[in-house]
């Protein structure tokens, strides 16, 4: 009937990853249009709102129709557990050497999948702890994704040291390393 108050339902009660957003919409099935909306937890006045909660949160909306009748609806957004990743922050190798990149994940929902950047110099970028073969100093980024699709990133800096250019002249007894010369003398006679 025309004097029925607005009947309100919330169209989405999603579960999302921390740091992501969700859309909540108020659906009204009775009352007289146009409607006004007032979301209690955000103060927004539209039929749909975008929220990014930091913990599982309930949202309610008060809907008022054109003749002043009201109805309320509520819904909630639940957060999956956050996934965390830690990696060895920096490593030092000589040019031509390899290094074992290492990362660990915690929290979230297992199993985890791994993705390392700079894959051209990594043996298997989908492994948790792959071997890397950089020829220049490189920052590697590891992204872990848990079974719920939540992600976390960490970085590893691999400093590549160049091998000095050196030579030794057997005739003069001189050694040169990166342009610096040293004399060696036989003091045994």
């Amino acid at each position: 009937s025309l004097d029925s108050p607005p009947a309100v339902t919330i169209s989405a009660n999603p579960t999302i990853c921390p740091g992501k957003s969700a859309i909540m919409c108020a659906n009204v099935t009775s009352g007289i249009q146009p409607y006004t909306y007032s979301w209690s937890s955000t103060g927004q006045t539209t039929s749909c709102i975008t929220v990014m909660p930091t913990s599982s949160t309930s949202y309610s909306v008060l809907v008022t129709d054109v003749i002043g009748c009201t109805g309320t609806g509520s819904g909630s957004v639940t957060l999956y557990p956050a996934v965390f990743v830690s990696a060895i922050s920096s490593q030092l190798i000589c040019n031509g050497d390899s290094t074992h990149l290492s990362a660990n994940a915690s929290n979230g929902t297992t199993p985890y999948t791994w993705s390392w950047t700079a894959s051209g110099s990594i043996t298997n970028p989908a492994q948790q702890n792959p071997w890397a073969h950089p020829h220049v100093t490189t920052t590697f980024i590891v992204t872990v994704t848990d079974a719920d699709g939540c992600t976390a990133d960490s970085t590893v800096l691999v400093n590549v040291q160049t091998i000095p250019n050196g030579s030794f002249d057997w005739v003069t007894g001189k050694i040169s390393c990166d342009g610096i010369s040293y004399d060696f003398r036989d003091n045994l006679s």
Side-chain angles (χ1 to χ4, degrees), residues 90-131:
S90 65
Q91 299 178 30
L92 178 65
I93 64 171
C94 291
N95 192 8
D97 287 347
S98 298
T99 187
H100 198 224
L101 302 176
S102 179
N104 291 300
S106 61
N107 215 28
T109 305
T110 58
Y112 305 118
T113 58
W114 302 87
S115 176
W116 289 86
T117 61
S119 58
S121 62
I122 297 177
T123 55
N124 185 346
Q127 283 184 332
Q128 178 179 353
N129 300 311
W131 284 95

Side-chain angles (χ1 to χ4, degrees), residues 53-140:
T54 57
S55 62
S56 295
T57 304
S58 293
Y59 297 90
S60 62
V61 62
L62 173 68
V63 177
T64 306
D65 72 5
V66 73
I67 61 172
C69 296
T70 61
T72 60
S74 63
S76 61
V77 175
T78 305
L79 293 185
Y80 289 119
V83 62
F84 302 106
V85 63
S86 61
I88 295 174
S89 59
S90 65
Q91 299 178 30
L92 178 65
I93 64 171
C94 291
N95 192 8
D97 287 347
S98 298
T99 187
H100 198 224
L101 302 176
S102 179
N104 291 300
S106 61
N107 215 28
T109 305
T110 58
Y112 305 118
T113 58
W114 302 87
S115 176
W116 289 86
T117 61
S119 58
S121 62
I122 297 177
T123 55
N124 185 346
Q127 283 184 332
Q128 178 179 353
N129 300 311
W131 284 95
H133 318 281
H135 298 291
V136 296
T137 296
T138 303
T139 299
F140 294 90

